[in-house]
Amino acid sequence: AVAAGMAPLALGSDTAGSVRQPAALCGVVGMKPTYGRVSRHGLVAFASSLDQIGPLARTAEDSALLLQAIAAPDSRDSTCTAREPDDYLAAIAEPDVRGLRIGMPREFFLERGTDPEVSAAIAEARAVLERLGAEFTEVSLPHSRIDIREGRLSSFAVACYYVLCTAEASSNLARYDGVTCGQRSADHSDLVDMYVRTRGEGFGDEVKRRIMLGTHALSSGYYDAYFLKAARVRRLIKQDFDRVFDEVDLLFCPTTPAPAFRMGEKTADPLEMYLSDIFTISCNLAGVAGVSVPCGFTEAGLPVGVQFMAKQWDETSMLRAGAAYQRHTHHHERLPLA
């Protein structure tokens, strides 16, 4: 709707990239603020330690405008920060990236696994920012490493995420029992039958799959092997980001490994769909901020997105980089208007 000009702004919930990825595939700006920057009061919880509400817009300036409106302390959300937001619009009124230190995580620049047209668009985006005065350097996020074996991608971060998020989903979605929240099955014989039928009718296949995985990960005998181990890996991922942000102001990488795929193309293989998250997922695990900005099109006319990530509470730096880049490229102006 935003890409087509039907709405100027929109909101989404980003747990592993669900704002940034559709933004990249549709050629708009999508932002995940720092975890706790925006109140989650009113959001249907999926994975509470990862979920964050963020804006979708055609430009970084419009994203800053919406973030300015929704970022504020909220006593109704215990995870929402008490710190007041920056004046984002004023900070990016004249965006300047001269001297900005931008890191390129070597783990996110794959010789195999990333579409060549995506790689080319990212390389051109880097060249534009370098001409504007940004300084690029290679950095490492070792616990976000991506491996390619037998033609398939694997990632520590993806494995860690899908244990933690499914466990939290199993707990959060238990409230949809037909009594306190959500719909209630009209056809049931007793209380247990009502629970079963309500959840069977109300949840789709993917939700059921995640609830079952999470319940297994939290079950007696498997908690230490799965959930506790994933929580420890998450801490290592967070420490990697803390160390890197002592060296650079921003991180820079593709938002998705490929342009938009056809509807239903990956639904037969859930793992392939999950691995679409490889460049966005670590941002949520570390609780830092990320934004996807349009950076060109493939020969078939499909949009490509570049992702900037910033340390906690520093949305201003990544908005500044995104705004400066957009002002010198105007890729968003090629999108259709309704």
Side-chain angles (χ1 to χ4, degrees), residues 162 230 324 331:
Y162 276 101
H331 291 307

Side-chain angles (χ1 to χ4, degrees), residues 10-14 18-19 29-33 38-39 43 51-57 63 66-67 70 290:
L11 293 174
S13 59
D14 191 310
S18 296
V19 167
V29 176
M31 185 199 313
K32 185 204 88 71
V38 176
S39 171
L43 174 68
D51 298 338
Q52 183 61 185
I53 296 168
L56 290 134
S63 297
L66 185 50
L67 184 62
I70 64 176

Side-chain angles (χ1 to χ4, degrees), residues 19 50 75 79 124 150 218 228 257 265 309 319 328:
V19 167
L50 300 163
S75 61
T79 66
E124 176 58 28
E150 298 178 355
L218 292 173
L228 187 59
E265 182 179 332
M309 288 181 276
L319 284 169
H328 286 80

Side-chain angles (χ1 to χ4, degrees), residues 200-255:
E201 295 169 7
F203 291 136
D205 290 343
E206 179 62 24
V207 177
K208 292 175 185 175
R209 183 182 295 116
R210 296 190 184 197
I211 290 172
M212 292 172 67
L213 287 169
T215 302
H216 178 72
L218 292 173
S219 61
S220 177
Y222 293 98
Y223 178 89
D224 288 354
Y226 293 106
F227 185 83
L228 187 59
K229 186 175 289 186
R232 288 171 174 165
V233 172
R234 181 181 189 176
R235 168 54 59 182
L236 294 173
I237 291 171
K238 173 68 165 63
Q239 289 172 349
D240 287 344
F241 275 84
D242 290 343
R243 174 183 49 77
V244 164
F245 281 127
D246 285 337
E247 305 170 15
V248 297
D249 303 305
L250 295 175
L251 294 176
F252 170 95
C253 66
T255 308

Side-chain angles (χ1 to χ4, degrees), residues 3-131:
M6 298 166 64
L9 302 165
L11 293 174
S13 59
D14 191 310
T15 309
S18 296
V19 167
R20 288 163 290 154
Q21 286 188 44
L25 302 183
C26 293
V28 298
V29 176
M31 185 199 313
K32 185 204 88 71
T34 304
Y35 180 80
R37 171 61 82 194
V38 176
S39 171
R40 294 181 299 112
H41 179 73
L43 174 68
V44 176
F46 168 42
S48 299
S49 72
L50 300 163
D51 298 338
Q52 183 61 185
I53 296 168
L56 290 134
R58 290 177 72 95
T59 66
E61 286 91 344
D62 287 351
S63 297
L65 175 67
L66 185 50
L67 184 62
Q68 195 83 57
I70 64 176
D74 185 0
S75 61
R76 294 170 296 183
D77 177 4
S78 62
T79 66
C80 189
T81 182
R83 90 168 49 205
E84 293 292 334
D86 299 336
D87 188 341
Y88 303 112
L89 282 172
I92 67 170
E94 296 294 334
D96 183 1
V97 297
R98 284 176 294 182
L100 200 65
R101 300 170 302 165
I102 301 179
M104 299 175 62
R106 65 173 63 98
E107 291 79 10
F108 291 178
F109 286 84
L110 309 174
E111 292 183 7
R112 294 185 298 156
T114 301
D115 185 283
E117 290 188 280
V118 171
S119 297
I122 298 302
E124 176 58 28
R126 174 186 174 177
V128 170
L129 289 165
E130 285 181 323
R131 290 196 295 271

